[in-house]
Amino acid sequence: MQTIWHHLRNTAIQSLNPRIVSPWIEVGSVASAIESGKGRIFTGVCVDTACSLGICAERSAIFQLLAAGENEIRRIVTINCNGELMPPCGACRELIAQMMPSNYQNVECLLKERVVSLGELLPHCWF
């Protein structure tokens, strides 16, 4: 596995911090590390709420990337609190496709020690 994947995976693992914020909110049981088009690393954790207003770890990291003035994603690693790699969920795939409509297919995702493209995970976008 390439060094960048080790770095992204370790960064995501370090971001894990499962905890209960209140009786209605839990955070940090899933973490994501994203490499931007400029090579910067952004992280995010999930926020799970009783009223479904939470957010996935990937979208949390993507919003950090956008807030920093970047618009492109190269690679994504998402990991749960059991240390298992996870693919981006459908909402996250859709957000990335809308962010990068002409290039989302080339975003790389690490899944169970192999790399797949977002194009493989979302082969037919609606637009």
Side-chain angles (χ1 to χ4, degrees):
M1 188 178 348
Q2 295 176 344
T3 303
I4 186 61
W5 290 116
H6 286 292
H7 179 62
L8 287 169
R9 185 175 184 170
N10 289 338
T11 301
I13 289 170
Q14 291 171 5
S15 296
L16 286 169
N17 185 14
R19 64 194 186 283
I20 296 172
V21 174
S22 76
W24 304 279
I25 299 177
E26 296 180 13
V27 300
S29 63
V30 176
S32 186
I34 293 178
E35 180 189 12
S36 74
K38 294 181 181 177
R40 295 172 62 194
I41 307 300
F42 296 89
T43 61
V45 297
C46 67
V47 177
D48 296 313
T49 67
C51 64
S52 73
L53 292 176
I55 190 169
C56 299
E58 300 92 336
R59 282 185 285 156
S60 176
I62 290 167
F63 295 156
Q64 296 297 319
L65 177 144
L66 291 169
E70 296 213 34
N71 301 328
E72 186 179 333
I73 297 169
R74 283 187 193 158
R75 296 179 180 93
I76 300 174
V77 170
T78 302
I79 195 158
N80 68 20
C81 60
N82 297 320
E84 299 166 331
L85 293 164
M86 303 171 59
C89 74
C92 295
R93 296 174 199 185
E94 181 67 29
L95 175 62
I96 296 165
Q98 289 185 41
M99 273 177 58
M100 303 170 47
S102 62
N103 197 30
Y104 80 89
Q105 301 91 340
N106 297 320
V107 174
E108 296 179 325
C109 307
L110 183 63
L111 303 180
K112 300 191 189 232
E113 305 304 325
R114 73 182 188 98
V115 176
V116 299
S117 72
L118 192 57
E120 292 175 79
L121 298 175
L122 184 63
H124 305 288
C125 199
W126 60 270
F127 52 81

